[in-house]
Amino acid sequence: MWPSMLWLLLLWPVSTRTESICGSQELRQVSDFEKLRNCSIIVGHVHIANFQLPANVNLNDLRSEVTEITDYLMIYRTTGLLTLESIFPKLRLIRGQKLLFDRYSLIVYENRNLRELGLVELLRIQKGYIRIESNPMLCFVETVDWIYLLGNRTVQHFSIKLNKSPNHCPVCGGLAADYSYRVNKTINCWNMQRTQVRVVPPKTEGCPVNCGRNGCDAKGYCCSNNCVTGCSNQNCTLCANFLRNGRCVDQCIASYELNRRQCISFKECRQRKLIPLTQGYRCVDRCPNNHKPVVDNNGAMQCQLECKGLFHVKRAADLEQLQDCVTINGSLIIELEDIKEKIVSALEQALDNVKEITGYLKIQQSAPLMSLTFLKNLDTIRGDELIENKYVLWVVNNHHLEHIWPANRQVALQRGTVFFHLNPRLCHDKIMKLQSSLRSGHQISIADVSPNSNGERVICGDLVQILDPVVEDINSTAVRIVLDYMITDNIETLIGYSYHYMEAPQRNITMYDGRHGCGHDNWLMDVSISKSRRHVISNLKPYTQYAYFVKTLTRTDYHMQIDAYSKIQYFRTLPSKSSPVSRLFGTSDFSTQIMVHWWPPRLPNGNITRYIVNYELHNITEPEAKNYAENKTLNAKDIDCYCNIQEPYYSGPQPEDENFYNKDQMIYEDALPDLIYVSRRKLLAKKEKFGMVKDFDDLIAGRPIERIVNRTTTTSTTTTSTSTTTTTTTTTTTTTTPKPPATQSSLAVNGFKPTTTEDPAIQYEKFRLYVEEKMRMVQDTNINDFVILHDPPKCQNAHASVANQLEQKCAVEEELSGISLSGSQLFYNLTELQPNQYYRISVRACVDGVINGCSNPATILVKTISIEL
């Protein structure tokens, strides 16, 4: 009898406890706390912002019964609030399923009078970062073991700064306000009275190494991190993720999610008089915005996805009503107002499933759009409703639009015709390809699609050529790209090249996916105002795959209109030495042990295959010990250092900005006139001119060929004579990279030497070859300016001296010592230590395939607790 009663007692917290569920709470005045008082679980977030606590308020009016918050907790700019214990005395779990700014789960920021956090029952912050900053009176922040609270210690980070200095704050077990001594020897506490709550596992000694601080049960099985209040996933009273049939699970499989914390079956959802939602497999009390309630034949309520009406998208928030839509029963208008909003990725996500629009599609005044490829699955626009009773596709005044549908995709336009105007970058021939999509039989007219108002700012059709770039050399932070030679007719209009590149973990990038017309996307651009066919892209991240393409920059006139693009290609930079581990923490819960945790490097720069841990006994005087009481990383300056890595364009200069007319910050179209239209008088003496010969008659009618040849021959002869009779004043440097161009022909080196008896056609051919070789030499000038440095190879002699290393251009590999751990292990428990002693502990991260690829050590001093404790 007693065992059965005990079993029922264990199950009672899970099966019979009553829970009061509330939604997100916005608290700005004392009366708002009435809504929070009887809530035990908040399905959403809690905002306490711009709140001023009156002096005569009863703190019991603020008290709540909240034990869980599924999203995040934000305390921002409060006045008069001294501690959060008066509001959340029972809060045990912040799940972080939806984060503030997609990053933070606990934010305590700019609270003038806050003295302590006081979250005395808090056991876990499952997901998200922690940011506690700019609270001038806040104490007892450094005394909290934040590592213990984190659900994933390798992913979650916390930032604690600009609060009251710990040197001016009480300590755990220190003197109280009445100068009495608190008998509290623990180093982790929320205030003078309350220590930090910890769940003690059944066993901590004799457990497998991979158990870490979680401990194990009596059988030696590691305790589950998914159970917040116990060791086993069975019969757990509080699960970190989801609870299903009395067991903690990571996610809901073949079941429905309830309140973002529980998994139930379809039948259980109905028994609770709730609605099982197929999209996302959620159990809800009412239908979402783009669903309508429908009663089925059995009298049960269902949610039917309804995307009906006229949808006008002006910003990213307007896309919520189109989420999960497959058929838009109506029309879609896209008119993007904010040119700085990164909306293209939001369009790709929200409209990914759309296959049919029953009305019309209207795209107008949307500068961020470069293509309509975000409608990647659109098959049909039916045209049940038309613009002006005629147009099913209306595209007007989109300054950066260059492309329409995704490649190899045709969208059927069932009724009506198209209307395209004022799209200066959209080529007319691309629009005319829509003729085959019109099922109505209408012919696209000039009035509807004019060649004079579409594509007038770009070069279109057969004049667009293909570039073939090749990666000629690469290291960890730079790549050298070389292009094919431009032909003679094209180089006269060539100004330079633009190199576009972005990080690409997968090789599925297209030229228009995610592109933002105003540059607010993940693409970077290097511009080379030079005819050189080589270019070095620097400031790259080590061991990172990039996608890139190249485009020519040309001047356009009525007779010569040429442009060229390359296809999307990829390269991966080489690995390099890692940066130090981000943070290093050490705690001593036993007199002979120290548990060390660290965060991975911010810049791994490669595949980290192992960590090297070293420790040694450190003799330290008592005055020095005060400086290390906080266990902070000693070389924090090195660890917190960021490299200057170039970031994508998240914003650009606007006409009202101060530096808009700075040439270096102008966009290409505005800077181009300054680079081209300059006075010719100043350049006549410097500019090298080439004789352009179009045909044989032009050759005969032009300058006497002897004059050209004699000038070249004389110059070549003089140079040769000078070099053989006198000592040259220039020095030649031999380098292996970049490779010099192919051997030039004798025409380019020795000059063109015609004879009066040769046939004029032969002379013309020789002269043409001569000019082409000169053009190639121009594209290969200053090769030594494009050298990429490489790390020296490993020396054969492991004990080579510095002089030998310099002579052989090699490096001696470092001999590593210490405890070697797997690259996936981010903790280590040091054992067999001496009680009440300081230890210096260092951790290094090592990258595979790099000579001396281990980072600089991150070091801390940690003291083991006294044996009396």
Side-chain angles (χ1 to χ4, degrees):
M1 175 179 178
W2 285 106
S4 61
M5 292 181 64
L6 180 61
W7 180 79
L8 292 174
L9 184 62
L10 290 173
L11 287 182
W12 178 81
V14 178
S15 58
T16 62
R17 62 177 179 177
T18 58
E19 298 171 341
S20 176
I21 309 295
C22 300
S24 297
Q25 301 293 322
E26 306 279 344
L27 310 175
R28 296 179 181 271
Q29 51 190 359
V30 176
S31 59
D32 294 337
F33 285 83
E34 183 69 26
K35 300 179 293 183
L36 191 67
R37 179 173 302 173
N38 296 322
C39 298
S40 59
I41 297 174
I42 301 296
V43 181
H45 60 261
V46 176
H47 283 183
I48 303 178
N50 297 321
F51 169 68
Q52 185 170 1
L53 183 65
N56 58 350
V57 71
N58 186 352
L59 293 181
N60 290 329
D61 295 338
L62 307 180
R63 182 183 177 89
S64 72
E65 300 296 319
V66 174
T67 60
E68 298 179 34
I69 299 175
T70 62
D71 291 348
Y72 62 87
L73 171 63
M74 183 187 75
I75 314 297
Y76 175 60
R77 287 190 177 178
T78 63
T79 304
L81 183 64
L82 302 182
T83 176
L84 300 181
E85 187 177 5
S86 58
I87 305 174
F88 301 109
K90 299 182 179 181
L91 180 63
R92 297 194 297 172
L93 176 62
I94 300 175
R95 296 185 182 272
Q97 295 194 0
K98 291 185 178 179
L99 303 175
L100 180 66
F101 307 135
D102 297 326
R103 179 179 291 261
Y104 299 106
S105 54
L106 175 61
I107 309 95
V108 183
Y109 191 66
E110 293 185 353
N111 299 280
R112 180 182 302 175
N113 305 115
L114 192 65
R115 300 299 202 266
E116 62 186 50
L117 292 176
L119 300 175
V120 294
E121 294 291 330
L122 188 63
L123 294 174
R124 181 74 61 81
I125 299 176
Q126 184 64 15
K127 297 178 183 177
Y129 286 18
I130 300 169
R131 184 171 183 177
I132 303 173
E133 182 179 337
S134 300
N135 305 283
M137 303 299 294
L138 183 61
C139 290
F140 296 103
V141 182
E142 304 287 348
T143 60
V144 176
D145 186 358
W146 296 104
I147 289 290
Y148 174 79
L149 295 177
L150 299 179
N152 190 334
R153 295 156 190 164
T154 64
V155 176
Q156 293 174 267
H157 291 182
F158 55 85
S159 174
I160 298 173
K161 58 183 179 180
L162 301 180
N163 303 302
K164 191 171 183 178
S165 172
N167 296 329
H168 297 164
C169 290
V171 297
C172 300
L175 293 176
D178 58 356
Y179 298 102
S180 62
Y181 189 81
R182 302 286 184 180
V183 182
N184 180 6
K185 296 184 179 180
T186 180
I187 61 171
N188 300 122
C189 63
W190 292 100
N191 51 38
M192 296 289 296
Q193 293 78 29
R194 300 296 297 269
T195 61
Q196 184 174 357
V197 178
R198 289 175 178 265
V199 177
V200 180
K203 287 178 59 179
T204 56
E205 296 185 355
C207 296
V209 177
N210 58 342
C211 293
R213 300 177 67 178
N214 294 333
C216 60
D217 59 15
K219 297 182 179 180
Y221 294 106
C222 295
C223 290
S224 172
N225 195 44
N226 211 351
C227 182
V228 177
T229 54
C231 181
S232 173
N233 284 333
Q234 301 289 343
N235 302 324
C236 183
T237 58
L238 182 61
C239 296
N241 293 310
F242 295 96
L243 174 67
R244 182 181 183 184
N245 298 329
R247 180 182 176 85
C248 294
V249 295
D250 293 330
Q251 58 183 345
C252 295
I253 300 176
S255 57
Y256 290 82
E257 180 184 313
L258 176 64
N259 296 328
R260 305 181 194 168
R261 60 186 299 273
Q262 189 175 355
C263 303
I264 61 176
S265 64
F266 181 90
K267 182 179 180 180
E268 289 175 319
C269 185
R270 286 299 187 190
Q271 289 175 348
R272 295 171 182 257
K273 298 181 180 180
L274 299 175
I275 306 172
L277 191 64
T278 305
Q279 282 79 13
Y281 288 93
R282 294 172 291 158
C283 189
V284 297
D285 56 351
R286 61 180 180 273
C287 295
N289 293 334
N290 56 346
H291 291 67
K292 68 176 181 179
V294 177
V295 179
D296 60 14
N297 296 331
N298 297 325
M301 185 70 70
Q302 300 280 0
C303 290
Q304 181 178 346
L305 182 64
E306 183 185 45
C307 303
K308 186 176 181 180
L310 176 63
F311 297 93
H312 197 164
V313 177
K314 294 185 176 181
R315 55 189 65 86
D318 299 332
L319 293 169
E320 183 179 357
Q321 54 189 338
L322 291 168
Q323 196 73 37
D324 300 325
C325 288
V326 177
T327 299
I328 297 178
N329 295 301
S331 300
L332 176 61
I333 300 176
I334 298 179
E335 186 178 6
L336 306 181
E337 296 178 338
D338 189 355
I339 63 173
K340 288 190 175 183
E341 186 177 20
K342 296 184 66 176
I343 195 173
V344 179
S345 58
L347 287 169
E348 292 175 345
Q349 181 179 3
L351 302 178
D352 180 62
N353 297 322
V354 174
K355 292 185 177 181
E356 183 181 31
I357 300 175
T358 62
Y360 59 82
L361 175 62
K362 187 176 186 179
I363 313 290
Q364 65 179 17
Q365 298 178 7
S366 297
L369 295 184
M370 294 188 69
S371 73
L372 306 184
T373 54
F374 52 84
L375 295 165
K376 60 181 65 176
N377 291 311
L378 181 64
D379 293 324
T380 306
I381 305 177
R382 283 186 3 204
D384 295 348
E385 180 184 4
L386 300 175
I387 301 174
E388 299 178 2
N389 295 322
K390 183 178 181 182
Y391 303 110
V392 67
L393 179 59
W394 175 288
V395 182
V396 174
N397 196 17
N398 301 285
H399 184 74
H400 296 102
L401 190 67
E402 296 182 1
H403 196 65
I404 306 178
W405 307 126
N408 302 322
R409 189 167 194 87
Q410 193 174 41
V411 178
L413 308 176
Q414 299 289 2
R415 296 180 63 242
T417 185
V418 298
F419 189 82
F420 281 74
H421 281 289
L422 303 178
N423 304 294
R425 299 176 184 273
L426 182 60
C427 291
H428 182 261
D429 60 329
K430 291 184 178 181
I431 305 173
M432 296 306 295
K433 291 180 181 179
L434 297 176
Q435 180 66 64
S436 59
S437 301
L438 297 178
R439 301 293 185 262
S440 60
H442 284 88
Q443 293 296 318
I444 300 178
S445 65
I446 295 181
D448 297 333
V449 179
S450 172
N452 297 322
S453 65
N454 294 288
E456 71 273 14
R457 296 198 64 179
V458 293
I459 298 172
C460 301
D462 296 335
L463 298 176
V464 179
Q465 301 178 6
I466 301 298
L467 292 176
D468 187 19
V470 175
V471 173
E472 192 177 36
D473 195 14
I474 193 169
N475 64 11
S476 60
T477 59
V479 61
R480 183 172 71 244
I481 298 173
V482 61
L483 302 168
D484 285 340
Y485 289 103
M486 293 287 288
I487 64 175
T488 305
D489 291 339
N490 295 346
I491 199 170
E492 283 297 311
T493 64
L494 180 66
I495 300 171
Y497 300 92
S498 60
Y499 297 79
H500 304 257
Y501 59 101
M502 68 176 295
E503 293 183 33
Q506 304 296 328
R507 295 199 170 198
N508 57 356
I509 305 296
T510 68
M511 193 172 294
Y512 294 103
D513 286 352
R515 294 281 301 280
H516 191 291
C518 302
H520 310 299
D521 53 32
N522 294 327
W523 285 90
L524 288 158
M525 182 176 66
D526 257 14
V527 176
S528 174
I529 307 299
S530 168
K531 289 182 170 64
S532 175
R533 66 192 187 103
R534 287 179 174 83
H535 183 69
V536 173
I537 301 176
S538 55
N539 293 326
L540 301 177
K541 294 182 180 179
Y543 201 65
T544 303
Q545 181 170 268
Y546 286 86
Y548 76 100
F549 69 92
V550 186
K551 178 185 178 298
T552 56
L553 304 177
T554 59
R555 60 179 175 85
T556 303
D557 55 37
Y558 292 105
H559 303 289
M560 303 182 70
Q561 296 186 353
I562 298 170
D563 204 355
Y565 290 83
S566 74
K567 296 180 180 179
I568 295 286
Q569 298 192 36
Y570 300 87
F571 65 84
R572 178 182 289 275
T573 52
L574 301 180
S576 180
K577 180 179 178 179
S578 170
S579 65
V581 296
S582 300
R583 291 286 180 89
L584 187 57
F585 304 93
T587 56
S588 177
D589 296 332
F590 302 94
S591 60
T592 59
Q593 298 181 17
I594 292 178
M595 176 61 73
V596 183
H597 285 271
W598 58 90
W599 293 343
R602 291 191 180 100
L603 303 174
N605 297 338
N607 182 23
I608 295 181
T609 55
R610 58 176 176 161
Y611 290 96
I612 305 296
V613 179
N614 286 279
Y615 68 98
E616 62 180 357
L617 187 65
H618 185 76
N619 294 324
I620 188 171
T621 62
E622 192 63 28
E624 291 176 328
K626 297 180 181 179
N627 297 328
Y628 303 117
E630 300 173 15
N631 292 337
K632 290 186 176 180
T633 306
L634 300 185
N635 55 345
K637 181 177 180 182
D638 296 332
I639 292 179
D640 293 336
C641 177
Y642 285 94
C643 295
N644 185 21
I645 297 177
Q646 192 170 359
E647 295 292 337
Y649 299 124
Y650 289 108
S651 61
Q654 300 301 315
E656 62 271 19
D657 291 346
E658 180 181 356
N659 294 324
F660 179 70
Y661 294 104
N662 186 335
K663 185 189 299 184
D664 295 336
Q665 299 187 20
M666 288 183 182
I667 60 176
Y668 166 70
E669 287 83 358
D670 295 327
L672 192 58
D674 293 335
L675 297 172
I676 300 174
Y677 298 111
V678 295
S679 175
R680 293 185 177 180
R681 296 179 181 177
K682 297 180 181 180
L683 298 181
L684 286 178
K686 298 181 180 181
K687 183 176 179 181
E688 184 179 2
K689 292 186 174 297
F690 299 97
M692 293 293 294
V693 181
K694 298 180 180 179
D695 53 27
F696 180 76
D697 294 333
D698 185 38
L699 173 65
I700 302 300
R703 293 176 293 170
I705 196 167
E706 292 82 358
R707 186 183 306 170
I708 302 173
V709 176
N710 290 339
R711 185 181 70 245
T712 307
T713 307
T714 303
T715 304
S716 178
T717 304
T718 304
T719 304
T720 305
S721 175
T722 304
S723 63
T724 57
T725 57
T726 61
T727 302
T728 180
T729 59
T730 59
T731 60
T732 303
T733 302
T734 303
T735 180
T736 57
T737 57
K739 296 179 181 179
T743 304
Q744 304 291 340
S745 69
S746 58
L747 284 173
V749 177
N750 300 322
F752 176 49
K753 301 177 181 179
T755 61
T756 56
T757 60
E758 261 186 334
D759 186 88
I762 297 177
Q763 294 185 26
Y764 165 70
E765 181 63 19
K766 289 184 177 181
F767 184 79
R768 185 185 64 80
L769 294 174
Y770 166 72
V771 173
E772 286 185 0
E773 292 296 343
K774 292 291 288 184
M775 293 292 186
R776 292 191 176 201
M777 292 176 65
V778 169
Q779 297 177 65
D780 282 321
T781 56
N782 301 325
I783 294 180
N784 292 331
D785 293 341
F786 303 100
V787 174
I788 290 181
L789 300 178
H790 290 270
D791 294 331
K794 178 182 175 181
C795 292
Q796 297 295 329
N797 182 6
H799 303 286
S801 64
V802 175
N804 289 337
Q805 294 180 47
L806 294 175
E807 181 181 355
Q808 300 176 11
K809 297 182 179 179
C810 63
V812 174
E813 189 170 13
E814 178 185 5
E815 295 182 2
L816 299 175
S817 62
I819 303 169
S820 180
L821 304 175
S822 168
S824 60
Q825 183 173 339
L826 301 175
F827 64 90
Y828 188 74
N829 191 28
L830 301 176
T831 58
E832 300 181 1
L833 306 178
Q834 299 180 22
N836 199 27
Q837 295 292 329
Y838 279 95
Y839 282 85
R840 180 184 293 271
I841 306 169
S842 64
V843 178
R844 302 178 69 181
C846 299
V847 176
D848 184 32
V850 179
I851 299 176
N852 298 330
C854 291
S855 67
N856 295 331
T859 307
I860 57 170
L861 288 177
V862 184
K863 184 180 181 182
T864 54
I865 61 176
S866 173
I867 196 170
E868 298 177 358
L869 296 179

